[in-house]
Structures are given as C-alpha cells and as structure tokens.
C-alpha cells in the first residue's frame, strides 16, 4: 500500500514537472493563449479570425472608447475549418452578446503545420480540441504519421529547447490580444484597392465549412447571442474577393449580418498611411478601424460599458503598458481622439 | 587406482602443461592458484589429463568443474 | 518493430499487463503468444514461417531423441543431424546471397560471365539469435547439462522469447529453464529497476546514438569532401554510435524482461575501459563470445584434427610454438565465424572478424615483449597514465576496425582509409567546421555532455552496480536522479517530427 502511494506521488510530481517544463517549451504565444487567462463570463464580444483579427482590432481602444470587453481567439492564418470549434471553445468560458467572425481566411482549408499548431497548440486539452484537430487535420496535407504530434504536442515541442529564450520572451508584444511590434508600426504605401462585387463560387470545401458553421450557429446560439461576419479592409486577390462575395450572399441568405469594410460609405482605409503590407493595417490604421468598428457595434448591439468598474482594472493596467510601449516604439504619444 | 596416485600423475601433467616444476595440486586447487591457467590453457590441460589417464571428459564436465578435487572425482569414477 | 517506437511501447505495456493478470501458471503461455504476435508483426509470412517451424520441430525432436539415446553413438549423430538442419536453414536464409555473389566473383575471375541471382527473402526476425540458441540447447542436452523439454510449446518459447529476437542476448536453456516457465509475482522493485534501465537505454539511443548517426552518415556519405580528421572523428563517433545503439537496445530489453521477473545475461561491461582488444571482446557482446567459446572454440581445441596438428607441430617446433599454432588456428576459425555471423559480407568478416583476430594475435605475441620493455625502462603498468594509454589505444584500434563495419564494401573501406590520411586537425578547433555536418552547436554540446555522462556511468559500473547505488540514496536524491534521466530523454531525445522555429515566426504578417 505504501509503495502504491509513493508511486502515485511520483507520477503526480512527474506530470506537474512535465507541465511546468512545457510552459517554456512550446511555440510562440498567440492571442488564443491569453484568452484562457481572462476571468470567466467577463467578455462581451468574442472576435475570431486570422491575423487580420488581432492586428486590426484593438480591444484596449474598444474598451477605452466604448467600455466593452473583447476576447480575441485568433492566430496567424487561422484555418477556416477551425472557426466553429473556436466558437465552441469560447462558449465554454464566456457568455458574450456578440460573436465577430472575420472570414478573410475562408479559402484557407488545407492548412499548413504552422497555422494548425499556432491555432490549436494553446487550446486546453478537451473533447473540443480533439474534434478540432480531427477536423483540421483531415482537410490538411499533413502526413498521417505526424498526426500524433498534434494531439500530443510534446512530441514536437520537446525539440524547442534550443529556442527556449525566444519562447519565454515572445509574449510581451500582445496587449489583450492586439499586436504591437516593430512589424506593424511601419508605414508602407499601398495601391488603392477597389472592391469588385463579382461573385466567384466558393470551393466545395469552403462552402461546406461555411454552411456547417452557419448551422452550428443557428442551432446553438440563443436569441441573445448575435453574430456579425466581417470582411476586413485590405487587398484581396481576385479569386478570394469573388469567393467572399459568394460567401456574403450565403450568409445574408441565412439571415446573418455581414459587414464588408471595403464597401462602406463612411469608412475607407487610407492606403497611403494606414498599411504596412498588402494585407494588414498598421497601428494607425488599426486604431482608426477599431474606433469606427467599436462605436458601431457598441450602439447596434447595445454592449455594456464597464469603464470605471474596478473589476476590469487589468484593462486599465494593460492600456497603460500599451501606451508606454507605443511611445517607446513610435517615438510619440498614443492619441485616442 | 588410489587417489594419491592420481594426484601424483596429475602433478606431472600440470608441471608439463604450465612449464613449472614446482606445481603441487590438491583438492582445493583452482585456476586462481596457478598463473597462466586461463580458459585457453584449461582446454590444453583437459586434453593432457585425458591423454594421461586414457579417459574422456564430456563438455559439461569441462565447463563446470570448479577445482582439482572435482576433476579427480571424475577421473576416479572413469577409471574404476 | 523498432524498440523506441510507440507501437513497441504499446505492445510491451499490454503484454506485461496481461502477464501479471493471468493465473501464474499461464504466464509462460502469455509470453509465447506475445512472442508469436511479435514474430508475425515483424513481417513473418507463410514462406518464412516454414523455416521457423522447421527449426522448432527439428530441435524439439532431436533433443528428445538425444535424451532417449543418451550415451550412445546414435545421440551424437542425431545431434549432428539437428545442427546441420538448423545451420542449413540459417545459412540459406542469411547467406545464399553472399554465396552467390562470391560464386559470381569467381566466375568473373575465371572469365565466365555467369550471373546467379537470388531474391533476398524475408528473414524471420531474430533468426541469427534463435538458431544459435537452439543449437546450444541441443548441445547442452547432449552434454547432460539439462534434460530435454517435453512440452513443444515451452520449447517454442525458448526460441521465440520476444525480447531477445531484436538483438539478443544469447540465452542458454539450463539457465533460462527456471526463469521462463516459472511463476512470477509482480515485484515493485523489479518494476522500478526495469524502468530505470529502460530509460537509460532510451537515453543512449535517442539522445546520443541518433545524433552521432547524423554526423557519421554525413561524413561517410561524402568522405571525399569531409576527409582527414572529419573521417577520424566520424569513425570514433561511429564506434560510439554502435555502442550506444546496441547496448541501449540491450538495456531496454533487459529492463522489459526484468519487469516480468526474468533476468537475462549481460551483454556489455563497460567495454571501452578495456586495456586490450582481447579484454574488450570479453566485455563487448559477451553472450556471443561465450556462445562461441563453449560451442565452437572448446570443441575445436579438443577436436582430433587440432590435437593432431598440435602433436605434429610439437615435434617440429617445440611445445610453446605448437600451443600458439593450435590456439591461433582455432581463434582464426572462431573469429571468421564471428565475422560471418554478423552478416554475409566481406566488410563484416574483415571488420568484426579477421581484423580482430589479427589484433589479438599481435597482442598475444607482443605482450611478453612489452612487459620486458616496461621492466627495462622502469615503466609501471599499473599507473593511471599507462592504463589510460592502453584504453585509448584499444579504443582507437577498435574504432579503426569499425571503418570496415560501416563502409559499404571493402573497396569503399580502403578508399575511406586513404582519404583519412590527410592532416587537417584544425577542423576540430575552429568554431564552424564540426557544426556544419547536420548537428549545430547546441546539438553537438548536448551530445558531447551526454557521452561524458555515459562514460562516467560506465566507469561507475566497473566499481559496482549503479542502480543499486541509486536505490541506496534517500528518496529525494533518488527521485531527482530519476526525473533528470526521464526528462533528459523527453527533452533532448531525437524523436517525433522536428521543430523548425521558422514555421512559427509571424506569418502572413
């Protein structure tokens, strides 16, 4: 009996050590990692998407201007099949009034190793994670022999001991999900982009993922939970643009809202000052975009205003950290007005 | 044949095989007591003993005998 | 089934669980079933199954008959018949190709252009081991060291016990009789010791051997570019790779068997601390040497032919020289067989056979001269310095012979040796050359430190049982050591798909 107890303690200590070590042996952290750190049922909006989500929308600006709390569940080139599972994951921990779904990655069905890992690696171990992995791996070209290393990350990440410094330091560039780093402080003039409303049918797989998502939303969300699809302001290749038009049609046919930031009357991205590459707004562009968007959704969906509430002091702190680092990188103060 | 006679003849064999006229073996002598008595010489020794007494050891005995005393026992059993 | 694969892990866990859950008198039967499963999983097909069954039936029947007709001439002939059949099927499976290649060579030399072809058949896993083990069993019965096994299934277990099918060790029936078929109660101590041994083996294979392999493959695959000291380094690394891979596999196997309560004989005893090649082979692949000594060397030395040669040469050259001659002839035969056993190719016959023989003959001849020289010069052979010199010399000589083991052919080996004689020792000292051969600085460091740990442990093993020492420590120390070992394997082991940090820098950004 004594031996059994000793052995059990040994095994438990082993798992504790294992988890501790693998906090530092892993991949660079993306917003989804920080999603879990927020208190339960504290978020009013859940924002899902690829890099266009967390590089364009700044939850701190939204909070400062309109007072609502946003949870970012996004990662670079988030594979579209995963959106449904991300929403499921969100609903485990939060009860938001609004789900914003950025569909710029609608064509991204066959995902690469990097995008799958960045999206799923930080998910907590659960049935949802297994389902998500099953689904996204099925669509990908990842060889079957490597599948196990997606379910059991340590099979790959143990080798990251070589990069341990980079992994530990990496997290400070995300501010409640929003990225502020050298890369998105640059200003690179782009050609003005004009939206073409010609529709190109979605691929079979994209369409089925979208329909699947729509039916999930219809069947599971209550009348208090709203959904807003978003096409972010940026450059699009002709085919993708055409696909997004087709997607818009399908979405509206199913009575869901969708905003295309490339065809609005009262908002237009500034292609001279507000981009750092073809597909992404820089910090200036992101600030203006967020101000516009947060004002819109705050009114339309009647989102609460938590400013002044001591419960959300972490947001004040993080905003402070953001403005400090902003000043350091940009050389001038962050101006909200 | 009496045991003393066996030991006398054995002494001769040992002295011949190991080139040492001073060797005297008894019941408890083992390979540790005689320099050069390693596993290679063991075989030469066995053959010499077999030739001297006109007997044959089987391989089981060769590999398991622990000291000269056991060897003498086997020789004794074989001759009588 | 690769020893470090997840499939094998799963297989072992299931087998061990069932082993301890069934009624104890069925335990050996569980082992037999799992061993049969293991054989089939490793590509045993109908045509090769026949050879396995043939060996089993031959040995089972012969052993019974040898017992029945013991002490008559009949038993000797039955034994010989049994050996011929088992050796025959082993040779057919392993060496037909080699034989045909040799025949083809001879035909070419003579000018004829005959080309025999033979498809390398699927060889049952472990055939090189179980064939010799079963021959040993028949001989042991003949020699009266044990009684024949009446139960054919139990006999089958001796032949197919799955831990040994991969890389041995060679087991003996008199020794295993009381272990394989006995009842084994689950023992917590055995579990712990077995697990530590398994992780030590995994450490040797996944952390050290896999890394060495990367370097060795790169250099040996491109030795015209990586010449001189690259080849010397790679050769030394290959020797270490072979050692860690082989002894690591043995560690895993011993650990698994230990958990089930079945002790297997050791195969390695810190071989690189040996002072002569002769000593090294008493500490390297111990059970192979023991098998050949008991079943080939001794019978050979006792045989009439050798004895006749002995008496003839004694008359001509005197006793001392005639002893050497008979000894060397027997050794040559034995070492050629060892070479052949490793594989049917000249590289193995030379590298792990003839060359070793030459080393040992030279040692035998030069040792008395060396001790005379030492006495004259007042050199003390018991000092640390002298022993170090002997160990380094032994290790380097052994490594040199491993060039043949690693090369793809004798011509290839000679070519590599030619390219080795270039002076470029600076590659060892500049900070880039060694790190551009598939292993970066960090990998190299992990590898070297691990090898140092390996040698420290091997040295400690000379002084006593290391696992015992660990168990004698207090709980905290024990656990720290064990956790360090386990996490060293998990973090630094080369397994799983690789991690490429380039995959994760900001993408599409």
């Amino acid at each position: 009996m004594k031996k059994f107890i000793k052995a059990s303690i040994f095994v438990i200590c082993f798992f504790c050590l294992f988890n501790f070590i693998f906090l530092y042996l892993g991949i660079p952290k993306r917003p989804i990692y920080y999603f879990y750190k927020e208190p339960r049922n504290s978020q009013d909006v859940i924002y899902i998407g690829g890099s266009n989500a967390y590089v364009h929308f700044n939850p701190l600006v939204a909070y400062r201007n309109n007072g609502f709390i946003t949870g970012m569940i996004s990662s670079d080139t988030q594979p579209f099949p995963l959106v449904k599972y991300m929403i499921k994951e969100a609903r485990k921990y939060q009860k938001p009034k609004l789900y914003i779904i950025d569909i710029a990655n609608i064509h991204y069905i066959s995902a690469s190793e990097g995008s799958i890992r960045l999206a799923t690696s930080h998910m907590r171990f659960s049935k949802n994670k297994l389902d998500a992995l099953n689904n996204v791996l099925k669509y990908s070209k990842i060889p079957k022999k490597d599948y196990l290393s997606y379910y059991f990350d340590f099979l790959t990440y143990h080798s990251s001991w070589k990069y341990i410094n980079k992994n530990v330091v990496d997290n400070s560039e995300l501010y409640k999900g929003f990225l502020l780093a050298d890369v998105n402080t640059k200003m690179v003039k782009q050609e003005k982009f004009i939206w073409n409303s010609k529709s190109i049918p979605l691929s079979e797989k994209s369409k089925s993922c979208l329909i699947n998502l729509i039916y999930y939303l219809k069947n599971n969300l209550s009348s208090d939970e709203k959904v807003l699809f978003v096409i972010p302001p940026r450059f699009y290749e002709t085919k993708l643009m055409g696909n997004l038009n087709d997607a818009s049609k399908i979405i509206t046919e199913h009575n869901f809202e969708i905003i295309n930031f490339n065809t609005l009357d009262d908002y237009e991205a500034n292609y001279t000052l507000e981009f750092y590459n073809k597909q992404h707004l820089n910090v200036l562009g992101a600030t203006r975009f967020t101000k516009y968007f947060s004002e819109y959704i705050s009114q339309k969906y009647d989102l609460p205003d938590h400013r002044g509430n001591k419960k959300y002091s972490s947001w004040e702190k993080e905003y402070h950290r953001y403005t400090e680092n902003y000043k350091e990188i940009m050389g001038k103060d962050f101006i909200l007005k | 044949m009496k045991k003393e006679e066996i030991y006398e003849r054995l002494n001769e064999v040992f002295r011949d095989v190991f080139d040492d006229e001073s060797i005297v073996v008894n019941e408890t002598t083992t390979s540790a007591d005689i320099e050069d008595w390693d596993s290679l010489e063991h075989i030469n020794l066995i053959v010499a003993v077999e030739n001297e007494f006109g007997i044959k050891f089987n391989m089981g005995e060769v590999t398991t005998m622990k000291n000269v005393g056991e060897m003498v026992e086997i020789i004794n059993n074989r001759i009588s | 089934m690769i020893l470090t694969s997840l499939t094998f892990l799963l297989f072992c866990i299931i087998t061990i669980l069932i082993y301890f859950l069934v009624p104890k008198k069925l335990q050996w039967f569980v082992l037999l079933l799992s061993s049969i499963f293991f054989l089939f999983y490793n590509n045993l097909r109908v045509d090769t199954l026949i050879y396995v069954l043939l060996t089993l039936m031959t040995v089972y029947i012969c052993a019974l008959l040898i017992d029945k007709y013991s002490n008559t001439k009949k038993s000797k002939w039955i034994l010989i018949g049994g050996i011929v059949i088992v050796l025959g099927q082993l040779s057919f499976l392993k060496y037909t190709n080699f034989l045909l290649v040799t025949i083809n060579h001879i035909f070419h030399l003579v000018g004829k252009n005959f080309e025999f072809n033979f498809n390398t058949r699927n060889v049952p896993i472990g055939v090189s081991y179980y064939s010799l083990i079963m021959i040993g069993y028949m001989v042991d019965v003949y020699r009266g060291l044990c009684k024949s096994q009446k139960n054919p299934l139990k006999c089958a277990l001796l032949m197919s016990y799955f831990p040994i099918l991969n890389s041995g060790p060679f087991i003996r029936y008199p020794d295993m009789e009381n272990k394989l078929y006995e009842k084994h109660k689950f023992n917590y101590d055995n579990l712990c010791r077995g697990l530590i041994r398994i992780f030590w083996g995994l450490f040797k294979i996944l952390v050290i051997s896999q890394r060495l392999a990367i370097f060795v493959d790169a250099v040996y695959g491109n030795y015209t570019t990586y010449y001189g000291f690259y080849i010397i380094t790679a050769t030394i690394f290959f020797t270490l790779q072979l050692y860690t891979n082989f002894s690591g596999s043995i560690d895993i196997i011993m650990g698994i068997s230990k958990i089930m309560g079945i002790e297997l004989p050791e195969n390695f005893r810190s071989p690189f601390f040996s002072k002569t090649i002769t000593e090294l082979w008493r500490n390297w692949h111990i059970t192979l040497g023991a098998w050949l000594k008991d079943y080939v060397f001794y019978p050979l030395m006792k045989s009439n032919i050798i004895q006749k040669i002995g008496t003839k040469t004694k008359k001509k050259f005197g006793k001392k020289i005639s002893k050497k001659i008979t000894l060397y002839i027997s050794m040559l035969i034995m070492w050629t067989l060892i070479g052949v056993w490793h594989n049917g190719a000249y590289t193995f016959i030379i590298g792990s056979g003839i060359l070793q023989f030459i080393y040992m003959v030279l040692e035998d001849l030069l040792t008395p001269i060396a001790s005379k020289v030492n006495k004259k010069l007042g050199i003390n052979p018991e000092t640390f310095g002298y022993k170090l010199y002997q160990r380094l010399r032994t290790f380097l000589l052994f490594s040199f012979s491993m060039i043949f083991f690693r090369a793809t052919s004798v011509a290839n080996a000679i070519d590599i040796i030619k390219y080795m004689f270039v002076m470029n020792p600076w590659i060892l000292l500049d900070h880039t050359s060694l790190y551009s051969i598939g292993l970066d600085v960090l990998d190299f460091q992990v590898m070297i430190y691990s090898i140092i740990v390996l040698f420290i442990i091997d040295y400690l093993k000379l002084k006593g049982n290391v696992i015992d020492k660990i168990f004698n420590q207090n709980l905290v120390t024990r656990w720290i050591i064990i956790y360090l070992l386990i996490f060293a394997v998990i973090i630094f082991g080369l397994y799983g798909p690789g991690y490429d940090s380039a995959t994760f820098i900001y993408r599409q950004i």
Side-chain angles (χ1 to χ4, degrees):
Chain A
M1 191 59 212
K2 194 167 153 200
K3 289 199 178 123
F4 182 73
I5 297 178
K6 257 206 292 185
S8 309
I9 299 180
F10 181 85
V11 171
I12 293 174
C13 285
F14 170 75
F15 278 110
C16 292
L17 274 173
F18 187 88
N19 286 323
F20 176 72
I21 289 176
F22 277 90
L23 284 179
Y24 299 97
L25 289 180
I27 55 171
K29 298 171 173 49
R30 288 296 184 268
I32 181 173
Y33 173 81
Y34 297 98
F35 164 73
Y36 291 104
K37 295 199 182 295
E38 296 297 317
R40 282 193 186 229
N41 303 327
S42 63
Q43 295 174 341
D44 309 304
V45 176
I46 295 285
Y47 204 125
I48 296 181
S51 51
N52 283 128
Y54 75 91
V55 172
H56 286 196
F57 190 82
N58 188 335
L60 288 167
V61 168
Y63 170 74
R64 285 292 283 216
N65 269 4
N66 301 98
F68 63 84
I69 302 292
T70 314
M72 265 299 168
I73 304 189
S74 68
S75 57
D76 312 16
T77 42
Q78 191 184 65
F80 192 63
L82 283 180
V83 172
K84 180 175 108 180
Y85 300 95
M86 294 302 164
I87 296 183
K88 274 192 182 178
E89 194 71 10
R91 302 187 69 224
K92 281 197 225 167
Y93 302 94
Q94 302 293 336
K95 285 189 177 43
K97 284 182 99 171
L98 175 65
Y99 294 89
I100 300 179
I101 303 176
D102 178 320
I103 56 169
N105 283 334
I106 199 165
H107 60 312
Y108 197 60
I109 304 293
S110 176
S112 68
E113 177 185 1
S115 22
I116 298 178
R117 289 195 191 276
L118 285 169
T120 57
S121 180
H122 295 299
M123 281 174 82
R124 288 195 183 152
F125 201 74
S126 64
K127 175 146 197 310
N128 191 32
K129 181 172 181 177
L130 293 177
D131 290 335
L133 280 169
N134 285 341
N135 204 290
V136 75
L137 284 171
K138 181 178 77 190
Y139 281 114
S140 74
K141 293 199 182 65
I142 310 270
K144 280 218 164 86
K145 65 177 174 70
D146 289 342
Y147 277 17
L148 207 58
S149 69
Y150 288 82
Y151 296 93
F152 295 99
D153 311 87
F154 81 91
L155 290 173
T156 297
Y157 300 150
H158 72 93
S159 316
S160 74
W161 58 270
K162 288 187 192 175
Y163 309 101
I164 195 168
N165 287 325
K166 291 197 191 146
N167 289 342
V168 173
V169 169
D170 209 355
N171 56 33
S172 59
E173 293 179 326
L174 292 170
Y175 302 81
K176 292 292 187 192
F178 181 73
L179 177 74
L180 177 64
D182 279 332
V183 67
N184 64 337
T185 54
K186 301 199 185 347
M187 197 187 288
V188 179
K189 180 170 179 200
Q190 302 295 325
E191 235 179 74
K192 190 171 152 101
F193 177 70
I194 314 269
W195 185 269
N196 183 324
S197 50
K198 176 164 156 222
S199 181
I200 300 178
L202 288 163
S203 70
E204 276 302 310
K205 292 186 181 157
S206 289
K207 187 162 180 190
S208 81
C209 277
L210 179 61
I211 302 288
N212 210 300
L213 171 65
I214 287 175
Y215 276 115
Y216 169 77
L217 294 169
K218 275 195 167 160
N219 293 333
N220 290 283
L221 263 51
S222 67
S223 52
D224 298 326
E225 298 169 283
K226 304 280 189 264
V227 179
L228 176 59
F229 288 85
V230 160
I231 299 177
R234 48 162 268 200
F235 167 84
Y236 292 91
E237 301 84 14
T238 317
K239 181 146 187 266
L240 176 58
M241 182 164 58
N243 284 160
L244 288 169
N245 283 324
D246 188 27
S248 303
K249 210 169 54 169
I250 298 174
I251 288 170
T252 32
E253 268 167 13
H254 284 88
N255 298 320
F256 282 102
E257 300 272 341
I258 177 165
I259 296 187
N260 185 340
F261 279 88
N262 301 282
T263 57
L264 294 174
D265 297 321
D266 52 350
Y267 171 86
E268 196 187 323
N270 185 324
Y271 283 86
T272 308
L273 300 172
E274 289 182 336
F275 284 83
Y276 71 83
N277 70 16
K278 270 187 162 166
Q279 287 111 349
H280 297 88
L281 294 169
N282 59 23
V283 182
L284 291 174
T287 309
R288 190 165 73 87
F289 167 81
T290 310
K291 281 201 312 200
Y292 174 85
F293 195 21
S294 69
E295 184 67 35
Y296 173 77
I297 53 178
S298 172
Q299 293 216 356
K300 171 134 194 221
Y301 298 95
D302 194 25
L303 298 175
D305 186 339
H306 303 290
R307 285 174 291 188
N309 188 334
K310 287 204 183 70
K311 252 176 73 178
Y312 298 95
S313 57
S314 73
W315 285 77
E316 297 292 338
K317 267 206 227 119
E318 193 69 349
Y319 182 76
H320 184 70
R321 181 171 85 93
Y322 173 73
T323 49
E324 293 275 303
N325 284 317
Y326 183 94
K327 185 159 179 188
E328 222 185 283
I329 298 175
M330 298 291 279
K332 52 185 179 190
D333 287 320
F334 177 71
I335 305 170
L336 204 46
K337 291 291 166 259
Chain B
M1 196 184 293
K2 293 211 205 109
K3 278 217 179 142
E4 294 88 35
E5 212 185 315
I6 298 181
Y7 274 102
E8 244 184 71
R9 288 170 73 175
L10 260 185
N11 279 335
E12 282 304 316
V13 173
F14 269 77
R15 287 169 191 162
D16 189 45
V17 168
F18 294 109
D19 244 340
D20 184 349
E21 293 300 317
S22 67
I23 294 181
V24 178
V25 298
N26 58 52
E27 250 180 15
T28 58
T29 312
T30 65
S31 55
D33 302 317
I34 296 183
E35 207 182 320
D36 290 341
W37 186 357
D38 56 20
S39 46
L40 297 176
E41 284 300 340
H42 187 69
I43 280 294
N44 292 326
L45 178 68
I46 293 292
V47 172
V49 172
E50 285 178 341
N51 289 337
E52 173 65 31
F53 292 95
I55 57 164
K56 278 242 174 265
F57 292 106
N58 65 48
M59 279 311 298
E61 292 162 338
V62 171
T63 47
T64 53
M65 64 172 76
K66 290 193 200 51
N67 54 36
V68 176
E70 286 188 14
M71 191 193 279
V72 169
E73 277 303 311
I74 302 171
I75 299 172
N76 210 7
N77 289 337
R78 282 287 187 324
I79 311 179
S80 39
Chain C
M1 235 192 253
I2 307 178
L3 284 189
T4 50
S5 67
L6 284 167
T7 353
F8 185 69
L9 170 68
L10 217 64
F11 168 75
C12 287
I13 293 178
I14 296 175
T15 303
I16 293 176
L17 277 174
I18 300 179
Y19 186 77
F20 285 117
L21 288 174
V22 297
K24 293 196 177 45
K25 59 180 177 181
L26 285 178
Q27 279 177 329
W28 69 268
F29 189 66
V30 168
L31 283 182
L32 177 63
L33 288 179
S34 56
S35 302
I36 293 175
F37 176 84
F38 187 82
L39 271 169
F40 276 98
Y41 191 90
N42 283 285
N43 293 324
L44 187 67
R45 297 180 320 206
V46 178
D47 54 347
T48 35
L49 174 63
I50 295 179
Y51 296 105
V52 175
L53 290 175
L54 179 66
T55 306
L56 174 61
M57 276 191 330
T58 309
V59 171
Y60 171 69
I61 294 174
C62 283
L64 286 177
L65 290 177
I66 291 173
D67 243 353
K68 183 169 172 198
Y69 294 112
S70 65
N71 293 326
T72 67
K73 259 222 156 142
K74 252 193 187 169
S75 66
K76 188 171 183 182
W77 287 108
I78 297 173
L79 174 67
I80 293 176
I83 293 178
V84 164
I85 294 178
V86 175
L87 273 185
Q89 58 98 42
L90 173 66
S91 310
F92 179 68
L93 286 170
K94 265 189 91 169
Y95 303 117
T96 317
N97 218 20
F98 175 55
L99 187 65
L100 288 176
V101 162
T102 317
I103 293 180
N104 286 339
H105 274 318
I106 298 176
F107 272 119
H108 278 265
L109 286 173
V110 177
K112 299 216 177 127
N113 263 328
F114 245 167
E115 276 281 329
F116 282 111
N117 269 314
F118 187 69
N119 287 325
T120 30
R121 271 151 210 238
N122 231 328
V123 172
I125 187 173
V127 67
S128 307
Y129 295 96
Y130 71 65
S131 301
L132 296 190
I133 289 172
M134 296 320 265
I135 290 178
Y137 162 61
M138 286 191 292
V139 175
D140 283 345
V141 172
Y142 177 77
R143 288 176 179 173
L145 289 172
C146 59
K147 284 260 169 254
S148 60
Q149 173 55 249
K150 304 277 185 296
N151 186 330
L153 292 178
K154 284 191 175 174
C155 199
L157 176 57
L158 177 70
M159 187 169 131
S160 62
Y161 182 49
F162 75 87
I164 57 155
L165 289 178
N166 224 291
S167 32
F170 289 89
I171 51 179
R172 308 266 181 106
Y173 182 76
D175 182 41
M176 295 304 284
E177 194 179 7
N178 297 332
K179 298 178 189 170
L180 273 182
Y181 313 120
E182 295 284 285
K183 303 181 182 167
H184 293 278
K185 205 171 144 196
F186 174 75
N187 181 311
Y188 179 73
D189 195 54
N190 281 346
L191 177 69
C192 297
R193 285 164 188 265
L195 283 174
I196 294 180
R197 186 120 196 218
I198 291 174
F199 270 97
W200 178 239
L202 287 172
F203 177 77
K204 283 192 210 167
I205 296 179
L206 294 176
V207 178
I208 305 180
S209 184
Q210 299 277 53
R211 286 192 166 83
L212 290 168
I214 294 175
F215 188 95
V216 172
D217 288 347
V219 171
Y220 269 70
N222 203 350
Y223 58 89
T224 48
T225 315
Y226 298 117
Y227 48 73
F229 271 74
Y230 285 113
I231 299 181
I232 295 178
T233 315
T235 307
I236 291 177
F237 278 1
F238 175 67
T239 312
L240 292 170
Q241 176 195 338
L242 186 61
Y243 174 55
T244 45
N245 200 327
F246 195 176
S247 68
S249 305
I250 294 288
D251 282 326
I252 295 177
I253 282 321
M254 304 281 269
I256 293 169
S257 201
K258 173 114 188 160
I259 293 177
M260 294 192 285
I262 299 172
E263 299 271 353
L264 295 173
E266 291 290 340
N267 236 359
F268 289 94
R269 244 192 317 260
S270 311
F272 295 139
F273 286 88
S274 307
K275 303 201 225 28
T276 59
I277 295 279
T278 318
E279 190 186 336
L280 187 145
W281 281 97
R282 283 202 285 267
N283 294 318
W284 173 287
H285 210 166
I286 298 173
T287 54
L288 175 66
W291 193 95
L292 274 134
K293 185 182 84 177
D294 285 339
Y295 301 108
V296 173
F297 186 71
Y298 271 0
L300 209 55
M301 288 284 282
K302 271 194 82 192
S303 68
N304 288 332
I305 303 176
I306 296 288
Q307 289 303 315
K308 278 207 184 94
I309 297 177
T311 30
K312 280 215 178 102
T313 49
K314 195 160 151 185
K315 287 197 182 111
K316 256 200 172 166
F317 303 111
K319 191 169 28 167
K320 271 218 160 85
I321 297 186
S322 86
K323 259 202 219 169
K324 295 282 185 214
I325 293 180
T326 50
L327 174 64
Y328 293 164
I329 293 176
S330 303
M331 273 173 68
L332 179 59
I333 296 176
M334 183 167 110
W335 280 100
T336 310
L337 287 176
I338 291 185
V340 168
W341 177 86
H342 276 95
N343 212 340
Y346 289 112
T347 44
F348 293 96
I349 297 178
I350 295 176
S352 53
I354 312 265
L355 204 50
Q356 308 300 328
F357 165 74
I358 295 175
Y359 283 154
M360 285 189 264
V361 166
L362 285 173
E363 275 176 2
D364 190 50
L365 292 172
L366 292 175
T367 308
I369 301 177
S371 44
K372 280 202 191 114
V373 168
N374 284 341
K375 276 212 175 89
K376 268 232 161 102
L377 293 179
I379 299 176
N380 181 353
E382 294 303 314
T383 57
F384 171 77
Y386 192 83
K387 284 200 252 185
L388 182 63
Y389 143 72
Q390 286 180 304
R391 287 170 171 152
L392 282 174
R393 178 193 72 200
T394 305
F395 179 76
L396 289 172
L397 283 172
F398 187 68
S399 298
F400 178 80
S401 67
M402 290 294 107
I403 296 180
F404 286 87
F405 210 78
R406 178 63 175 74
T408 50
S409 68
V410 178
N412 182 235
I414 295 176
D415 205 30
I416 292 174
I417 295 173
K418 266 200 269 180
Y419 273 89
M420 191 172 75
F421 285 104
V422 178
M423 280 306 267
N424 57 353
W426 45 85
I427 61 128
L428 297 175
L429 296 171
D430 73 25
H431 288 277
T432 46
S433 304
L434 287 179
Y435 308 136
S436 50
I437 318 234
L439 292 174
D440 61 23
V441 178
L442 290 169
D443 271 321
F444 220 91
Q445 285 175 335
V446 164
M447 188 176 76
I448 297 294
Y449 292 142
S450 303
I451 292 175
I452 292 176
V453 168
L454 171 69
F455 273 89
I456 292 175
I457 299 292
D458 266 1
Y459 178 72
L460 289 175
K461 276 166 79 171
L462 286 176
K463 308 283 177 192
N465 190 315
V466 177
I467 296 189
D468 276 344
K469 282 209 195 92
I470 296 177
F471 274 66
N472 286 337
Q473 303 301 313
N474 286 319
L475 186 116
V476 177
T477 326
R478 228 169 42 223
W479 282 21
I480 291 178
I481 295 176
I482 298 175
Y483 281 139
L484 280 173
L485 177 60
I486 297 178
F487 281 109
V489 172
I490 292 180
I491 297 176
F492 298 112
L494 286 187
Y495 62 90
Y499 178 90
D500 181 7
S501 71
T503 317
F504 302 108
I505 40 183
Y506 289 119
R507 307 173 61 260
Q508 239 206 22
I509 282 192

